[in-house]
Amino acid sequence: MGTVFYSLPHPVRRRIVRIATPTYTLGSVVLVMDADRTRLLMLKQPPGKRWSLPAGLLNRREQPIEGARRELCEETGIEADFDELVPATPNAVVHTNGRWVDNVFRLVRDPETTEVIVDGHEVWDAGWHPAHDLPEMTRATAKLLSHYGLGPLAEGDPADEPPASA
């Protein structure tokens, strides 16, 4: 079977691979926190009532750090230089069920001096929240934040433990 595949013209082989293999959507997320990492900037976006993070899908041929910078500015009005956006650890979070990959960056800002501007259409509200007491958030946001020890699904959080049997 392999010889037949490799005897096909390259454009045909590429098309077969793209059809037959799983694809992932790529996005960028920015964790905007104060220097002490005690407060996190979160957004409330349509259509839900739960909070999320500054994030969005990458444009074709856009680098993850460029997408992070663009989305941050579009959603919050915060401008960041490329050297201020530091790759988080882990830098990429793979969501296998939804088949997307988030490239995650950290940005340090002072909540007292940072002006956050929301347009009311793409973002309804923005707020700085204590890292130890985050508001109700989307499931995807909770899963992402758990990789950084934050939110209700973070390891060791009592809300993530199974109920005690009677």
Side-chain angles (χ1 to χ4, degrees):
M1 185 72 171
T3 16
V4 172
F5 177 77
Y6 286 105
S7 67
L8 296 170
H10 181 71
V12 174
R13 290 194 323 251
R14 184 174 52 231
R15 182 75 179 141
I16 289 170
V17 168
R18 287 186 176 159
I19 290 171
T21 59
T23 58
Y24 281 77
T25 302
L26 301 177
S28 285
V29 179
V30 183
L31 300 174
V32 184
M33 299 186 83
D34 62 349
D36 298 328
R37 295 187 179 180
T38 59
R39 292 174 50 188
L40 175 68
L41 179 65
M42 297 187 76
L43 309 176
K44 195 178 283 188
Q45 298 175 291
K49 295 177 178 137
R50 296 183 178 148
W51 293 82
S52 62
L53 300 166
L57 299 178
L58 296 181
N59 293 327
R60 184 176 292 272
R61 294 182 182 80
E62 184 176 40
Q63 294 298 311
I65 195 166
E66 294 168 346
R69 184 173 184 247
R70 177 182 50 78
E71 286 292 338
L72 178 67
C73 186
E74 286 176 6
E75 294 181 351
T76 68
I78 296 174
E79 302 241 356
D81 293 330
F82 288 118
D83 61 339
E84 292 180 289
L85 292 166
V86 178
T89 303
N91 180 231
V93 175
V94 179
H95 305 272
T96 52
N97 289 343
R99 292 176 46 173
W100 82 89
V101 177
D102 282 323
N103 298 277
V104 185
F105 296 89
R106 289 187 179 271
L107 177 67
V108 175
R109 283 291 190 267
D110 181 354
E112 305 305 320
T113 60
T114 302
E115 182 180 16
V116 178
I117 302 167
V118 297
D119 64 11
H121 297 287
E122 184 178 355
V123 177
W124 287 340
D125 194 10
W128 293 91
H129 299 277
H132 69 278
D133 187 25
L134 295 173
E136 186 178 2
M137 63 192 76
T138 66
R139 180 80 178 151
T141 299
K143 287 179 82 172
L144 184 129
L145 286 175
S146 72
H147 292 277
Y148 306 98
L150 297 168
L153 303 180
E155 193 170 306
D157 190 313
D160 199 30
E161 294 176 13
S165 52

